Amino acid sequence: MSNHSSPSLRQLLPSLTGGVWVWVFLFTFVSCSHTPSSIPASFTDTSDSLALYPDYRDVVVPPNIAPLNFMVTDEAATEFVAKVGEMVCGASDDGKFELDSTAWRNLLTDARGKDVSVEVYAHRPAGWVRYRPYTFSVAEEEIDPYLSYRLIEPGYELYRQLGLYQRNLTNFDEAVIYENNRSFEDNENHCINCHNYQAYDTRHMLFHVRAAHGGTVIVEGDKAHKIAIKHDSILGAGVYPSWHPTLPLVAFSSNKTGQVFHMKHAEKIEVLDEASDLILYDVEKNTVQNILRSDDQLETFPCWSPDGRRLYYCSAKMPAALLENYVTEAMVMRYDSLLYNIYCLDFDPATRRFSAPQLVLDAAAMGKSASVPRISPDGRYLLFTLGDYGQFHIWHHSADLWMLDLQDLPPMVNTFTTDGKPVYHAWETPEDLYPLTEANSSDADSYHGWSSNGRWIAFASRRDDGNFSRVYISYFDRKGRAHRAFLLPQRDPEYNVLLLKSYNVPELTCSALSVTTEELNHVVLHTDAETATFLPAE
């Protein structure tokens, strides 16, 4: 997370010229961290494009978001002033605007449910110019105040210099949850991943540790402990987690995963499952059992419905030729033929029994592959990523966010059987199934999560440069439409350009973690994992 100097965006964005003369009254406000400035008494309106980063034009933002600091580029200009609502702010010498937090908070309070106009002025040798004003909107609904994510180098051949962090979205405070080793040591080298919370509540949280010091760290309040999931009847340790919304249960996939590093491919890395199943872990009893275990299906990415009575997941059918004579190299060569559909299992909390699999979305029939199902808090919408193949869409340029409206779907009915077991299908219409066009980009959009009120979606996107995943946030309105996504605000608007890390798995929560980094360091580095007891199928 370096803040050292690098090529400025001034060198990357075009210069601006042009104009028409206009006169205005002079006003001055103390509402910026830089020297207070005033709107110029005279200026020329220019039709030149405003080179703005991040681009916050025409977005919808929460009324509790941190200031939308930004920077502008005009090679001919020596001074910049902006009027944001009734706030007036001068920029630093490099065109960066850092808005006063108190004035910003007052602005959002007054503008809740309304639009805010922004005017940017640049001083050129011939005088002041004003770019075409733009607006952003302030929603009525707030976003959960905390966002957790992993920061990792895009090429992660080694498990080092990565960590889990929690950001306060109402300001710019970032706290360390856990960081691994800063330098490479064979006996200390470990990965951390897959953080997850129970119903947006940080009192119940977990994350995985791989390689040295391996295990799953379970957080309950301000205490933590480490467990290990391993048994001859289980494929491997738990991977992608989903905490039941009310019960002390976590659904994991159990994956035999490998990475393929392409020599000639725009997407560089492919993550493949050679095998994957679903397992259920009881946090209180430290027991684990299989949910689904099969040789011909690759089940992954489980996700509970908000009422806890249904478990969604993705599954792809293993090619028949590989089942007869499995060879890893053959799987690698077929990486782009694996198409994942979305299924669900009904769950009885009283008996803890699951139904037979039910097909929810036949992505393969569309010639596509679905990944990371997430259900909105009201249970109505199924948000997922759709790409051309595979399930690790964070590397896939084709990956976009899609939505399936579950409300008007007909009841799932038996349509055919597989090995004597009923399989169900929910037929959807084009109105039920649609891409989130306004939020998507031409590059990978993936690893998404809902806010607790269902009005905001945080996700990872590579739209800026195609290499680094950064957090974008989109407003999701009551009509089921996503709005233009905006980049996570930073105190320094150029921070995301200078940060040579990718954001991974953004998770919104209602509160900050109460467990300390010191407690987690102790648990990971100085305690042994307690092995979970395996429960055989009845």
Side-chain angles (χ1 to χ4, degrees):
M1 292 176 290
S2 171
N3 285 312
H4 62 272
S5 62
S6 71
S8 170
L9 286 183
R10 281 177 159 275
Q11 300 171 331
L12 306 178
L13 302 178
S15 60
L16 314 169
T17 57
V20 186
W21 282 103
V22 186
W23 291 88
V24 297
F25 290 103
L26 178 73
F27 27 160
T28 303
F29 295 85
V30 180
S31 57
C32 182
S33 61
H34 301 293
T35 303
S37 300
S38 58
I39 298 298
S42 63
F43 58 85
T44 303
D45 267 337
T46 177
S47 60
D48 295 339
S49 298
L50 173 61
L52 177 71
Y53 184 85
D55 190 348
Y56 291 130
R57 285 171 282 208
D58 304 318
V59 300
V60 182
V61 303
N64 59 332
I65 197 70
L68 300 183
N69 294 339
F70 62 94
M71 65 183 295
V72 296
T73 299
D74 185 336
E75 295 294 343
T78 57
E79 188 178 355
F80 301 92
V81 175
K83 182 173 180 282
V84 183
E86 295 304 315
M87 297 170 53
V88 177
C89 180
S92 58
D93 292 340
D94 52 4
K96 295 178 182 179
F97 289 90
E98 185 176 328
L99 308 179
D100 177 76
S101 58
T102 301
W104 173 258
R105 189 65 52 218
N106 293 335
L107 170 68
L108 292 187
T109 299
D110 294 339
R112 199 163 183 151
K114 303 175 184 176
D115 293 338
V116 175
S117 177
V118 181
E119 300 174 3
V120 177
Y121 302 80
H123 188 243
R124 295 172 176 169
W128 284 94
V129 298
R130 181 181 71 171
Y131 303 104
R132 184 180 296 111
Y134 68 90
T135 63
F136 65 87
S137 302
V138 182
E140 292 281 1
E141 305 93 339
E142 295 188 348
I143 193 170
D144 297 322
Y146 293 94
L147 182 77
S148 299
Y149 41 79
R150 181 171 66 158
L151 290 176
I152 183 171
E153 294 173 357
Y156 40 85
E157 291 86 353
L158 299 176
Y159 301 140
R160 65 174 180 179
Q161 296 182 357
L162 59 93
L164 301 177
Y165 304 88
Q166 187 173 66
R167 164 71 185 273
N168 186 333
L169 294 180
T170 69
N171 54 44
F172 301 109
D173 293 344
E174 183 185 72
V176 174
I177 298 175
Y178 179 81
E179 290 179 319
N180 74 347
N181 46 299
R182 284 285 177 176
S183 60
F184 178 76
E185 296 289 344
D186 272 333
N187 60 343
E188 293 294 326
N189 195 32
H190 61 285
C191 180
I192 45 177
N193 55 28
C194 295
H195 53 285
N196 188 253
Y197 302 89
Q198 184 181 42
Y200 306 93
D201 188 348
T202 55
R203 291 176 297 177
H204 303 286
M205 180 254 193
L206 65 83
F207 64 90
H208 297 314
V209 181
R210 302 299 187 207
H213 312 292
T216 297
V217 176
I218 306 290
V219 175
E220 296 180 87
D222 60 356
K223 300 297 181 183
H225 63 281
K226 186 165 57 176
I227 62 103
I229 296 176
K230 53 185 179 180
H231 191 271
D232 291 344
S233 298
I234 295 177
L235 183 62
V239 185
Y240 306 116
S242 180
W243 208 308
H244 191 279
T246 58
L247 299 175
L249 302 175
V250 182
F252 294 99
S253 58
S254 181
N255 306 55
K256 185 180 179 182
T257 302
Q259 296 177 3
V260 178
F261 294 87
H262 297 288
M263 295 181 68
K264 293 183 178 181
H265 200 294
E267 293 174 344
K268 300 181 180 67
I269 297 175
E270 185 63 35
V271 178
L272 287 171
D273 285 334
E274 296 183 36
S276 56
D277 300 319
L278 298 183
I279 59 177
L280 184 68
Y281 174 71
D282 189 313
V283 177
E284 290 184 350
K285 298 178 180 179
N286 194 31
T287 59
V288 64
Q289 62 192 90
N290 283 309
I291 299 174
L292 288 175
R293 188 178 187 191
S294 59
D295 294 328
D296 64 337
Q297 293 289 328
L298 301 170
E299 300 100 346
T300 190
F301 287 116
C303 175
W304 293 100
S305 61
D307 62 4
R309 302 189 70 89
R310 181 166 285 176
L311 183 68
Y312 290 82
Y313 65 98
C314 297
S315 184
K317 189 173 181 60
M318 180 76 79
L322 289 181
L323 284 174
E324 296 172 3
N325 183 24
Y326 185 84
V327 179
T328 300
E329 289 77 6
M331 176 67 122
V332 169
M333 298 305 295
R334 294 170 179 262
Y335 71 93
D336 57 356
S337 67
L338 290 174
L339 303 179
Y340 286 74
N341 295 324
I342 298 179
Y343 294 80
C344 71
L345 305 168
D346 289 332
F347 177 70
D348 184 345
T351 63
R352 297 192 177 182
R353 292 181 180 275
F354 292 91
S355 72
Q358 305 171 56
L359 180 61
V360 177
L361 176 72
D362 193 348
M366 303 165 60
K368 296 290 184 178
S369 186
S371 183
V372 193
R374 294 288 185 266
I375 308 299
S376 61
D378 61 3
R380 174 171 177 176
Y381 295 99
L382 167 58
L383 173 64
F384 61 98
T385 305
L386 197 67
D388 288 343
Y389 57 84
Q391 46 78 32
F392 210 73
H393 286 331
I394 198 168
W395 278 107
H396 295 160
H397 297 300
S398 63
D400 278 327
L401 302 179
W402 279 65
M403 196 72 71
L404 176 62
D405 188 346
L406 303 173
Q407 177 174 267
D408 298 324
L409 293 182
M412 296 180 185
V413 295
N414 188 6
T415 55
F416 59 91
T417 62
T418 299
D419 296 331
K421 297 179 180 179
V423 181
Y424 299 79
H425 183 79
W427 293 101
E428 61 279 343
T429 66
E431 291 76 22
D432 300 321
L433 179 66
Y434 53 95
L436 298 185
T437 304
E438 295 297 325
N440 287 325
S441 71
S442 59
D443 216 302
D445 299 302
S446 65
Y447 273 93
H448 40 274
W450 293 95
S451 63
S452 62
N453 60 9
R455 297 276 73 85
W456 302 96
I457 298 168
F459 61 98
S461 177
R462 297 203 167 180
R463 66 188 63 193
D464 287 348
D465 53 29
N467 292 311
F468 292 89
S469 297
R470 299 185 175 100
V471 175
Y472 275 77
I473 300 171
S474 174
Y475 179 63
F476 186 75
D477 65 30
R478 297 180 186 277
K479 296 181 180 179
R481 184 173 71 94
H483 291 249
R484 186 168 183 264
F486 64 93
L487 182 65
L488 176 68
Q490 303 287 355
R491 188 182 304 278
D492 179 354
E494 205 173 12
Y495 176 80
N496 279 313
V497 178
L498 304 177
L499 178 66
L500 302 181
K501 300 281 188 180
S502 278
Y503 288 82
N504 187 241
V505 193
E507 290 274 358
L508 289 161
T509 59
C510 298
S511 58
L513 276 167
S514 55
V515 66
T516 65
T517 303
E518 291 72 22
E519 167 74 3
L520 295 176
N521 285 340
H522 172 74
V523 169
V524 172
L525 301 176
H526 304 294
T527 67
D528 295 326
E530 181 183 357
T531 302
T533 300
F534 176 73
L535 299 179
E538 296 180 2

